[in-house]
Amino acid sequence: STRAALREELANDSRTAWLRGNALKVRSIDPEDEDFSDLEPLRDQLRGVRVVLLGEADHGDGADFAAKTRLVKFLHRRMGFDVLAFESGLFGTSTTWRAMETGSEPLDAFRRYVWRAWGLSEQLEPLVR
């Protein structure tokens, strides 16, 4: 069948082999799970890296946001990354920053000024807190 042929072609593709050898098995995407032992191999992979870009399959995908929240916590707490930028309008991000500098609660400022896909995401709340 066509599906079987495609599966076989993918199984023999050099990119598939590369992924098998380099993919990191993640135990959990729960933002509250702070046992980062499954993410520790990233230390070697990211040694010397100053910027990490994180994407998602779709703006608004809660599972992606949960996984990214946990990953950002690891990057910050275990690897010392200390700047987090979101894709958002320049006005909204600078307004969010100013609001937090003048005493606004970070979660309130985030919800109010960052694009709604992130600002209203329940899965990102642990990250903002």
Side-chain angles (χ1 to χ4, degrees):
S1 85
T2 304
R3 285 185 185 262
L6 180 58
R7 275 195 302 275
E8 184 174 337
E9 181 181 334
L10 287 173
N12 295 322
D13 188 297
S14 63
R15 294 168 293 187
T16 303
W18 183 91
L19 281 172
R20 277 193 203 102
N22 292 282
L24 174 67
K25 185 173 182 177
V26 176
R27 186 190 68 258
S28 169
I29 64 168
D30 180 356
E32 303 300 331
D33 179 353
E34 296 186 4
D35 170 3
F36 297 124
S37 58
D38 58 323
L39 300 177
E40 285 295 326
L42 289 175
R43 285 182 182 278
D44 290 334
Q45 295 294 320
L46 298 175
R47 183 167 283 117
V49 170
R50 296 182 59 206
V51 176
V52 177
L53 302 174
L54 304 174
E56 68 267 338
D58 180 35
H59 293 336
D61 182 357
D64 283 0
F65 290 169
K68 284 200 303 187
T69 295
R70 184 167 181 263
L71 180 56
V72 168
K73 284 181 169 184
F74 168 79
L75 292 170
H76 176 65
R77 293 180 183 168
R78 298 291 167 86
M79 296 194 64
F81 285 87
D82 61 356
V83 173
L84 178 62
F86 281 86
E87 175 190 2
S88 195
L90 291 175
F91 175 77
T93 51
S94 64
T95 304
T96 302
W97 184 254
R98 280 195 307 276
M100 289 191 298
E101 284 184 316
T102 59
S104 288
E105 191 64 34
L107 188 55
D108 293 336
F110 189 80
R111 283 182 176 154
R112 187 167 181 185
Y113 300 115
V114 173
W115 278 351
R116 297 178 66 117
W118 293 273
L120 299 179
S121 170
E122 177 183 313
Q123 290 80 9
L124 288 179
E125 283 187 25
L127 177 62
V128 178
R129 280 195 310 269

